[in-house]
Amino acid sequence: MADMQMAKIVGTPALEGTYIAEMDMWPLECQEFNRNYQFYDNLREGRFTSTKCKKCGHIAFPPGVICPKCWSEELEWVDLPQRAKVVTFTETQAGAPLGFPPPLIMAWLSFGKDSPLKHLLVRIINCAEGELKEGDEVKLAVFEVPSHPIEIKRETKVCDRVYYAFERVK
Ligand SMILES: [Zn+2]
């Protein structure tokens, strides 16, 4: 029954199923469609991860299936820091794109000099208009994304989905 209910949700969540699934902006996260599915499985466990090259040690973000430095395909998953500081940000109070309720806050984060991931441009959620300040500490926030049915080898499957943003440490 749970699958039946989820199957009714198609397309962009904010449009309440009015539009077709082609307008969906979130990645397909299941193993059949995404070679980086491990990243999303790790998010479900509360882990923020990326791929590290076993040959040259380079840690890329976002994760990939080949090292951008030496082209090796021998990669392993490593954990990244889940806390960062806000360097600067923008706050869209009206006219945000479909599927993003205002305020749409995009922040440039700094993870510190010891982190393999130095900076990240990312969405800040669970934050009211005017609440975020430069220098604020933020942490990883994983949220569920509505799924829709997709066809895999003549079978219809509903892949549960999650995505990540950051939120203020209060
Ligand atoms: Zn490499």
Side-chain angles (χ1 to χ4, degrees):
M1 271 314 276
D3 279 2
M4 290 290 289
Q5 289 205 332
M6 290 198 73
K8 288 179 190 162
I9 304 168
V10 294
T12 306
L15 305 179
E16 296 172 342
T18 310
Y19 289 83
I20 54 174
E22 278 70 14
M23 288 185 72
D24 180 64
M25 62 190 149
W26 306 96
L28 294 171
E29 298 174 5
C30 53
Q31 192 168 359
E32 293 87 344
F33 286 97
N34 195 325
R35 290 171 72 191
N36 282 321
Y37 68 92
Q38 184 73 45
F39 174 74
Y40 302 99
D41 285 349
N42 291 342
L43 277 182
R44 279 184 200 93
E45 294 174 4
R47 294 174 60 202
F48 189 45
T49 56
S50 197
T51 45
K52 178 180 182 180
C53 176
K54 286 185 180 177
K55 280 206 167 155
C56 76
H58 179 71
I59 297 176
F61 192 87
V65 293
I66 189 167
C67 174
K69 293 281 181 197
C70 76
W71 314 119
S72 169
E73 291 179 47
E74 291 178 45
L75 309 177
E76 61 184 342
W77 289 92
V78 293
D79 283 90
L80 299 173
Q82 297 194 5
R83 290 194 176 215
K85 283 223 163 21
V86 174
V87 178
T88 190
F89 65 95
T90 63
E91 199 173 86
T92 302
Q93 296 167 354
L98 286 174
F100 294 96
L104 171 60
I105 304 171
M106 297 299 298
W108 180 243
L109 304 184
S110 175
F111 288 83
K113 62 177 172 47
D114 296 329
S115 170
L117 176 64
K118 306 288 184 228
H119 296 284
L120 183 64
L121 180 66
V122 72
R123 185 178 164 206
I124 304 292
I125 60 171
N126 304 328
C127 188
E129 196 178 309
E131 197 181 356
L132 192 69
K133 301 279 182 286
E134 289 179 2
D136 276 357
E137 189 176 22
V138 289
K139 62 179 181 178
L140 180 73
V142 178
F143 58 91
E144 289 186 9
V145 175
S147 193
H148 55 79
I150 45 180
E151 291 214 0
I152 300 168
K153 293 177 183 161
R154 297 190 178 181
E155 282 187 29
T156 301
K157 186 174 172 181
V158 178
C159 298
D160 293 340
R161 298 192 291 179
V162 293
Y163 207 73
Y164 70 96
F166 278 68
E167 64 184 355
R168 281 180 77 225
V169 175
K170 289 172 187 169

